[in-house]
Amino acid sequence: MNHEWSRQATGAVNIPELIGRQQVLEAVFRAIRDPSQTLHVLYLSGEGGLGKTRLLQHVLDTLRNEPEVVALETLLDLYHVELHTLEGFMKEVVRLLPEEVKSSFDEYEKAYRMLNQLRVHQEGKLTEQQNRVQQAFEKGMQALCGERRVVLMLDTVERAVYPAGEQGEPRLAVVIPWLKDCVGRWKNLTLIFAGRQRADAVWRLFREAYALPKEQAFHIGALSLQESREYLQALERHLRTLGEHFVADRLASLPEEVVERVCRLSEGRPILLSLLADYFSVAERGQLPPVLESAGQAERRDLEEQLVRRFMESGELGETITAIGRAPRGVDAPLLAKLLNIPENEARERLQKIKKFTFIKARVDETYFLHDEMYALVRRQVFDTPDDAVPASRAFAAIKDDVEKRLNRVRQQLDELFAPVLKATSETLKFTELAEAYSARRKWLGFKLFYFLHYDFERGLRHFFRFSQEALRARDVWMDLQLQAELWDFLSTYFSHADDKRLGGAFSKELFQTLLQIHELYHLSIAGENERLEALRQQLERVALEQGWQEHLPIALLALYTVLGDIYSGRGTLEDSAKAEEYFQKAFGVFPEEFQTGWSQGVDESAERLKERFTSVEVWYLKAYQARAMFARAYLMRMRGHLTESIPGYQKAIALLRQINLQVNLATAMNDLGYTQAAQGNWDTAYRLIQDAMNLHQELSAYASMCFDLNALSRAKIMEGYSLAEAIELATRALALSRALGFPRMVGMSCRNLAEAKRRSARSDLLTFSEKKELLRQARDHACEARDAFEEVGEKARLIEAWMEIGCATRDWVKLLVSRIHPDPADSVERLVAESRKAFERAIRLAQEEKLLHKELDSLVNLAWLEYYRLKENEIISEELKEAIQRVEKLIPKPETGEINPEIWVWAGKLYTLKGVVNFHVLKQLDRNRRKEFTAVQQDKEIQHLLEELGENFARGLEESSRYSQNSQGIRNAKQDIYDRLKILNAVELKVLCRKVKSIYPKESALEKFLREVMLWVE
């Protein structure tokens, strides 16, 4: 042992004996050894430093020799916030069970592995799987309790009791009411929990639930004077067993009057006995401080100061204690090395040496903590002093650096694990390693949140919102609850006074508690608990009205309307979309327009007007909710087909999100806007936005979201039409990532993109017939896989698209075969026609069932084009084609019928273009000489009618399509179809056509503009 330490501080060591507490021990062991199947719940209460933990540890050590009882390896210490949640608690219980009984939890282990696999792709039915995990754990406990009595001992339970709400009732960590509900079913269980006064709320909950007698609650008081003497004697004996005879002799030689003062001033607290004993073990008789003669308030503070200073001035020991005190979430060797700027080996040695002291708690993972009472002493005597500002700042910098480096290592590990898949060289992932990496990331995000709250409270509140948005984006309610537990634990420790109206002067306590209640709406929505969601919605709206949130809590009102709009917009039905629009308009009306000046320009001109009412972090939250409302409404408009109108909303949201650096929402908004810009034909803007979104998602380790980004980029390339090879490469990467993640929805989207990209690639004149045919075969296969994937996940809108893509691939295959001069007898056109018709009819039926008119029209128009493509050049128009066109015409709504999805006009445009193509087909079949003789003088009414109808249909085709977008692929394809046909007409024919177009559109129409550009317009 290092001599410096042994001579300075070896008095404060853990003794193996338990002094006193016999009455409590007898009651505890009676409850444990009860042969009946009765549930026993015991509560040990008392102030810090009185030995509650030591008593529980003694019970646990005794139970190791009693095989008929199942006890965990260690106590369940609720000081550690991860145990406040169901996930953390269940995981820790199973980890600490004896190996011979863990088989009862095989189903739980399997379900938990599947949960972590689902978390890797951050999508899917997480809530359902979390329910399976919970049910499997409860089943395992039920089975185990049926075999033997199980003992669960919870320590520091007061940490699971959070600040009181508006009604004065304390909030409890979610694990507490869940445990209360479960133990009654498990029955053959002894639950013992210990804590300070705040834990009384937990005892009341259990006592009322199970009519527990008050005799099962024990107050752990101070040791008597005699017990205090026995403690000092036991300490002396233990020191001798450790070979510390020098210190033991010093302790044994203390004069009787000093021993009496030690026992009296310790107030019967074992931890103070140990610390005071250590003090006297090195002090000379003549050096006794005067404060030991009095136990008054001021003198007591002086005594605490002297005790703490005793350790703080003990060289390396003092440095180590101070460093551990700086990091309440625990210190390991790497962090201690950073805090003290020493080599990691030296840090590891220091932690090993300090492990023996009473005020030190060590976990099996070699993480070290101070005893609660020691944290309090060090905080009062060192950290709360004015001179501590600079050391605290240095410590925070070291902790931030440590956490960031750990997060970076996790990020690098994830990058390495995903690299082969992102390059499409593999479609498999190491899920065990990935699950561990993501678990580590969640852990370090929790640490980062805590330390920012601890050292930089305002930034901590911002981080809470950021990390919470990540959890909600992944639909991971348990992760979000863990973040809330970190927050509530911090607030209950540092802002627990009822008269504290503002949290650290930075945030209204009432506002923050209200925001967390509003936040629960997201949890209920994710869980699909719509009845509870509606009840909470009604309650919150009623309270908002009664309490006047518009004036009193406007940020809460903005948050409420934003969250409700966001939830309803994600449901997809027309009724819910209308509700969403109503809530978004209410959200935008909370703050007058003048408050929003400058937000969309990326400057903060509104700050002067806002800072009079709100703090800077409250304004940050205001902007976060405002931005969320903006881009969620923009998404709603885009999904309703209003692409042009949605763009300003996205742009304003992105400007705000850049201001407040809310990256997870920024990435989502940029992806959405990029896709919208692509549909509008703004390719360069689209690519930049989507690529930036993908880079942000990779920084956030949101690889599942990169599936969306890769597919969005692929879709943009497809819509552009000039980079189909890149579209195929991007979709191939997306497919590899989606398959590796086991992400069926994204597999479907990737295959759908591959199908369309390859189908369109088959139109290239540079390819041979065989190459085109092979691409179309692959396109059909991809579309079939997309269909299977969307059937699996039950996504009807995407399933319709997959059926349409099957129809389009086989339709284009029909076109290829019909156009061949010498067809191969092995190619069955009619078989492909039948397959294409079947696919389109299936898509039409599904669209009708889902009341998706624009997709029904899409399918019908494509079916009509199939009937056209199967015609040979010299064949007359078939009845099937005429019927298909009539089916579309009957469905297209009149403009005056009210609000119509603008995407419908795309299909109206395609129909008119097809009708023009059909007109041209008929025109070409007329006798060539007859067409040559057609002049302004020598009129032919049939030819004139065909030309006028041809011009009208082509003109209406471009006009209708332009309602949706000015530069979409559909418009470009239509223009190509028009150009290929009209360039064959002579000047007289063109003049008749153009005259008709001008009569319909006196102002320059889209067709006139196009024909002028290609020199085909004839006045």
Side-chain angles (χ1 to χ4, degrees):
M1 175 176 284
N2 181 295
H3 255 306
E4 180 187 4
W5 282 34
S6 66
R7 290 180 178 275
Q8 288 184 345
T10 47
V13 295
N14 281 307
I15 63 172
E17 301 174 45
L18 182 69
I19 305 300
R21 319 301 190 196
Q22 290 306 308
Q23 183 180 357
V24 179
L25 281 175
E26 290 173 5
V28 167
F29 283 114
R30 275 198 305 272
I32 290 173
R33 292 163 180 160
D34 181 2
S36 71
Q37 297 283 311
T38 306
L39 167 69
H40 291 284
V41 180
L42 290 84
Y43 172 41
L44 312 181
S45 66
E47 297 178 16
L50 290 172
K52 299 184 298 297
T53 301
R54 183 69 190 89
L55 191 154
L56 291 179
Q57 189 60 52
H58 176 81
V59 172
L60 188 61
D61 293 340
T62 304
L63 293 180
R64 300 190 199 286
N65 300 317
E66 299 192 17
E68 66 277 8
V69 174
V70 176
L72 306 184
E73 290 182 14
T74 64
L75 306 177
L76 294 166
D77 192 350
L78 269 62
Y79 174 88
H80 306 295
V81 181
E82 57 266 31
L83 299 187
H84 293 197
T85 66
L86 269 62
E87 178 180 12
F89 187 88
M90 293 186 297
K91 183 179 177 181
E92 188 71 355
V93 167
V94 173
R95 186 181 73 84
L96 296 175
L97 280 169
E99 288 297 327
E100 65 269 16
V101 301
K102 285 189 177 181
S103 59
S104 297
F105 294 85
D106 286 347
E107 185 178 338
Y108 160 83
E109 296 276 19
K110 182 179 179 181
Y112 192 62
R113 283 195 299 272
M114 178 56 68
L115 172 63
N116 283 326
Q117 180 172 331
L118 288 174
R119 276 174 159 162
V120 169
H121 62 59
Q122 301 175 335
E123 185 74 16
K125 301 177 180 179
L126 275 185
T127 302
E128 291 87 339
Q129 189 60 31
Q130 286 165 347
N131 290 337
R132 293 188 192 101
V133 171
Q134 180 180 333
Q135 290 164 7
F137 177 87
E138 293 173 5
K139 181 180 176 182
M141 283 297 296
Q142 188 80 51
L144 187 58
C145 290
E147 297 171 1
R148 285 189 275 175
R149 177 165 289 273
V150 176
V151 180
L152 296 178
M153 289 185 276
L154 281 59
D155 198 13
T156 327
V157 174
E158 72 274 5
R159 296 299 288 263
V161 182
Y162 304 144
E166 295 178 6
Q167 287 75 36
E169 287 298 318
R171 289 178 172 84
L172 301 176
V174 293
V175 72
I176 299 299
W178 167 77
L179 197 58
K180 181 264 295 181
D181 292 338
C182 287
V183 294
R185 296 193 298 272
W186 298 337
K187 293 183 179 179
N188 191 24
L189 179 138
T190 300
L191 174 66
I192 308 170
F193 59 93
R196 303 188 188 190
Q197 183 178 3
R198 214 165 71 207
D200 289 353
V202 178
W203 166 245
R204 287 196 298 272
L205 181 73
F206 278 85
R207 186 188 63 199
E208 292 169 5
Y210 296 106
L212 301 173
K214 62 181 182 179
E215 290 79 13
Q216 289 183 220
F218 300 90
H219 178 70
I220 306 300
L223 296 177
S224 66
L225 286 175
Q226 179 58 36
E227 289 170 336
S228 297
R229 288 178 177 273
E230 292 175 7
Y231 186 94
L232 290 175
Q233 292 166 4
L235 176 60
E236 177 197 337
R237 291 193 298 272
H238 184 55
L239 285 168
R240 295 195 188 283
T241 63
L242 295 175
E244 297 294 338
H245 299 289
F246 173 78
V247 180
D249 290 342
R250 296 287 301 274
L251 189 60
S253 64
L254 288 174
E256 178 59 30
E257 62 271 20
V258 173
V259 172
E260 183 179 348
R261 289 174 195 154
V262 169
C263 296
R264 177 167 51 85
L265 290 173
S266 71
E267 298 178 347
R269 298 173 185 238
I271 189 169
L272 288 181
L273 274 173
S274 187
L275 292 174
L276 285 168
D278 177 72
Y279 180 93
F280 288 124
S281 69
V282 295
E284 298 291 339
R285 179 182 291 272
Q287 294 177 333
L288 292 178
V291 70
L292 294 178
E293 303 297 331
S294 171
Q297 183 80 18
E299 290 77 3
R300 171 67 179 276
R301 286 197 296 269
D302 291 340
L303 176 59
E304 286 182 356
E305 180 183 359
Q306 292 168 12
L307 288 171
V308 173
R309 188 190 304 155
R310 172 69 188 78
F311 288 100
M312 298 302 103
E313 294 176 353
S314 298
E316 292 181 357
L317 175 61
E319 292 175 352
T320 305
I321 294 171
T322 303
I324 297 175
R326 300 277 186 200
R329 281 293 177 264
V331 169
D332 59 8
L335 177 54
L336 183 63
K338 285 188 180 298
L339 286 165
L340 298 180
N341 195 26
I342 60 175
E344 195 170 316
N345 286 341
E346 182 181 341
R348 191 169 288 105
E349 290 175 4
R350 289 196 185 194
L351 290 173
Q352 286 299 319
K353 292 174 183 177
I354 205 171
K355 185 187 293 187
K356 65 182 180 179
F357 294 106
T358 306
F359 53 81
I360 291 293
K361 295 181 179 180
R363 296 182 70 171
V364 293
D365 62 358
E366 295 299 314
T367 304
Y368 293 79
F369 305 82
L370 297 181
H371 187 285
D372 287 357
E373 194 69 12
M374 193 65 177
Y375 275 122
L377 290 171
V378 174
R379 185 169 63 245
R380 285 197 299 269
Q381 301 302 329
V382 179
F383 300 156
D384 290 346
T385 61
D387 296 337
D388 192 57
V390 173
S393 178
R394 290 198 192 106
F396 182 38
I399 292 170
K400 280 194 298 183
D401 182 63
D402 180 71
V403 172
E404 284 303 323
K405 285 186 176 179
R406 295 181 197 247
L407 282 169
N408 285 335
R409 282 198 293 272
V410 172
R411 190 178 301 121
Q412 290 168 7
Q413 182 185 2
L414 288 168
D415 287 343
E416 291 171 2
L417 289 168
F418 276 103
V421 172
L422 287 172
K423 294 175 183 176
T425 59
S426 173
E427 291 187 356
T428 59
L429 287 168
K430 299 176 181 178
F431 274 103
T432 301
E433 294 180 31
L434 279 172
E436 291 173 356
Y438 273 111
S439 178
R441 185 174 186 273
R442 290 193 297 273
K443 170 187 173 181
W444 293 116
L445 286 179
F447 274 48
K448 183 175 182 177
L449 171 61
F450 172 81
Y451 284 115
F452 268 92
L453 290 170
H454 191 80
Y455 285 101
D456 191 343
F457 184 61
E458 291 192 19
R459 290 179 68 189
L461 290 176
R462 293 171 191 161
H463 278 314
F464 169 74
F465 192 94
R466 289 188 180 102
F467 301 159
S468 179
Q469 289 295 299
E470 282 192 46
L472 293 174
R473 177 69 183 82
R475 302 179 68 81
D476 192 344
V477 173
W478 279 5
M479 178 183 173
D480 199 37
L481 289 172
Q482 182 66 55
L483 293 169
Q484 287 196 27
E486 289 281 1
L487 179 69
W488 279 119
D489 178 70
F490 179 85
L491 296 180
S492 64
T493 303
Y494 296 96
F495 300 113
S496 58
H497 301 299
D499 58 350
D500 190 0
K501 300 297 183 184
R502 301 201 73 80
L503 303 174
F507 214 105
S508 160
K509 179 187 277 189
E510 181 183 6
L511 171 59
F512 203 78
Q513 291 176 340
T514 303
L515 291 179
L516 288 177
Q517 191 175 14
I518 293 169
H519 198 78
E520 190 180 345
L521 290 165
Y522 276 129
H523 293 177
L524 295 173
S525 175
I526 291 170
E529 298 187 37
N530 293 331
E531 289 186 7
R532 289 182 59 196
L533 188 152
E534 287 301 308
L536 181 57
R537 176 192 66 78
Q538 293 174 15
Q539 174 193 335
L540 289 170
E541 289 195 85
R542 184 177 64 254
V543 171
L545 183 63
E546 292 173 353
Q547 297 184 358
W549 284 9
Q550 178 66 59
E551 294 298 325
H552 179 51
L553 291 174
I555 297 176
L557 191 62
L558 169 63
L560 175 61
Y561 292 150
T562 296
V563 170
L564 288 171
D566 198 15
I567 289 171
Y568 283 117
S569 67
R571 293 182 176 177
T573 68
L574 287 175
E575 181 182 356
D576 286 322
S577 294
K579 287 182 182 178
E581 177 64 22
E582 179 184 349
Y583 280 118
F584 286 137
Q585 291 305 323
K586 287 181 178 180
F588 298 143
V590 173
F591 285 91
E593 188 68 28
E594 59 266 21
F595 276 99
Q596 302 175 30
T597 302
W599 287 4
S600 61
Q601 284 75 40
V603 295
D604 203 10
E605 297 173 9
S606 58
E608 291 300 318
R609 289 183 292 276
L610 290 172
K611 71 180 183 181
E612 296 178 3
R613 294 182 64 185
F614 310 111
T615 66
S616 61
V617 70
E618 288 171 341
V619 172
W620 190 95
Y621 268 67
L622 187 160
K623 292 182 177 181
Y625 283 114
Q626 191 83 15
R628 182 78 189 187
M630 287 173 175
F631 83 75
R633 180 175 183 267
Y635 174 79
L636 177 65
M637 294 179 71
R638 176 171 77 81
M639 295 306 292
R640 290 159 66 184
H642 301 281
L643 270 70
T644 302
E645 296 85 347
S646 72
I647 290 175
Y650 280 124
Q651 292 171 332
K652 291 178 182 179
I654 287 171
L656 269 179
L657 292 167
R658 289 190 190 279
Q659 277 187 52
I660 61 178
N661 193 29
L662 187 51
Q663 293 188 344
V664 61
N665 287 354
L666 177 61
T668 302
M670 288 197 301
N671 179 293
D672 281 0
L673 178 57
Y675 188 91
T676 306
Q677 293 282 18
Q680 292 285 86
N682 303 319
W683 315 115
D684 289 344
T685 301
Y687 298 147
R688 291 191 189 99
L689 288 168
I690 299 171
Q691 185 63 55
D692 282 351
M694 186 160 67
N695 293 340
L696 278 177
H697 281 137
Q698 187 160 12
E699 289 178 19
L700 295 168
S701 299
Y703 287 92
S705 296
M706 290 177 67
C707 290
F708 289 94
D709 300 322
L710 287 166
N711 273 312
L713 279 172
S714 174
R715 193 91 196 114
K717 297 286 184 183
I718 292 169
M719 287 189 282
E720 181 189 21
Y722 301 131
S723 307
L724 291 172
E726 289 183 52
I728 291 171
E729 188 267 335
L730 288 164
T732 300
R733 291 170 59 194
L735 180 59
L737 181 58
S738 303
R739 281 177 172 162
L741 290 169
F743 197 171
R745 181 168 180 259
M746 281 296 105
V747 167
M749 292 181 70
S750 305
C751 286
R752 186 212 173 282
N753 284 346
L754 276 170
E756 185 172 357
K758 290 186 177 182
R759 172 171 62 83
R760 294 187 183 280
S761 296
R763 298 174 181 175
S764 172
D765 293 333
L766 300 176
L767 299 177
T768 65
F769 175 83
S770 297
E771 289 171 335
K772 292 179 179 180
K773 182 177 172 182
E774 175 59 23
L775 279 173
L776 290 171
R777 184 193 63 76
Q778 292 177 18
R780 181 185 62 179
D781 291 346
H782 287 308
C784 289
E785 186 175 353
R787 174 201 61 199
D788 295 342
F790 292 132
E791 281 184 342
E792 178 185 343
V793 298
E795 191 166 351
K796 294 294 180 65
R798 299 289 187 187
L799 180 59
I800 294 168
E801 293 175 2
W803 275 113
M804 280 196 289
E805 196 53 50
I806 293 172
C808 287
T810 47
R811 178 202 67 189
D812 286 7
W813 201 339
V814 167
K815 180 184 178 183
L816 178 67
L817 296 180
V818 169
S819 66
R820 197 176 191 196
I821 298 174
H822 303 292
D824 186 339
D827 292 325
S828 173
V829 172
E830 290 309 310
R831 180 183 61 78
L832 289 170
V833 168
E835 184 177 348
S836 185
R837 283 175 177 165
K838 177 183 176 182
F840 286 134
E841 292 292 354
R842 179 64 175 146
I844 291 166
R845 188 163 66 254
L846 282 170
Q848 291 170 342
E849 291 172 1
E850 296 299 311
K851 295 181 173 57
L852 296 173
L853 177 59
H854 62 292
K855 293 194 180 296
E856 184 181 356
L857 279 169
D858 189 355
S859 305
L860 281 167
V861 169
N862 280 305
L863 175 59
W865 276 99
L866 165 68
E867 301 302 341
Y868 171 75
Y869 285 151
R870 69 186 292 253
L871 293 177
K872 294 186 183 299
E873 189 172 336
N874 58 351
E875 287 184 337
I876 64 171
I877 303 302
S878 67
E879 292 301 317
E880 290 88 352
L881 176 54
K882 293 177 183 178
E883 180 186 349
I885 290 174
Q886 290 171 0
R887 289 175 69 183
V888 181
E889 289 176 327
K890 289 178 182 178
L891 270 182
I892 293 178
K894 303 295 182 184
E896 62 271 14
T897 56
E899 184 181 0
I900 298 173
N901 185 335
E903 197 173 348
I904 287 175
W905 303 124
V906 174
W907 312 117
K910 287 188 175 183
L911 173 65
Y912 281 117
T913 302
L914 171 60
K915 289 172 70 175
V917 169
V918 170
N919 293 143
F920 188 81
H921 183 87
V922 175
L923 183 67
K924 279 189 68 178
Q925 290 180 331
L926 295 178
D927 182 76
R928 182 170 297 184
N929 291 326
R930 181 180 167 188
R931 286 179 57 197
K932 283 183 179 180
E933 293 173 357
F934 175 72
T935 64
V937 178
Q938 185 75 27
Q939 293 187 0
D940 185 316
K941 290 186 177 180
E942 183 181 3
I943 293 176
Q944 182 161 340
H945 176 73
L946 279 172
L947 288 170
E948 289 179 348
E949 194 171 318
L950 175 64
E952 179 177 353
N953 282 323
F954 279 160
R956 292 194 186 280
L958 288 187
E959 289 300 320
E960 299 294 1
S961 295
S962 297
R963 292 195 193 194
Y964 181 75
S965 171
Q966 297 297 317
N967 191 32
S968 69
Q969 186 187 69
I971 288 179
R972 292 204 315 276
N973 290 341
K975 286 179 177 179
Q976 189 64 49
D977 283 334
I978 292 169
Y979 179 75
D980 287 343
R981 286 159 177 82
L982 297 192
K983 70 182 181 182
I984 300 173
L985 300 183
N986 61 42
V988 175
E989 291 171 326
L990 284 172
K991 187 173 183 178
V992 172
L993 181 148
C994 292
R995 189 183 302 132
K996 178 63 176 180
V997 172
K998 199 67 177 176
S999 70
I1000 300 172
Y1001 299 103
K1003 295 182 179 180
E1004 187 179 63
S1005 64
L1007 179 61
E1008 179 183 345
K1009 182 180 179 182
F1010 170 62
L1011 293 181
R1012 287 185 183 280
E1013 290 172 352
V1014 295
M1015 307 303 292
L1016 289 178
W1017 182 261
V1018 178
E1019 297 288 354

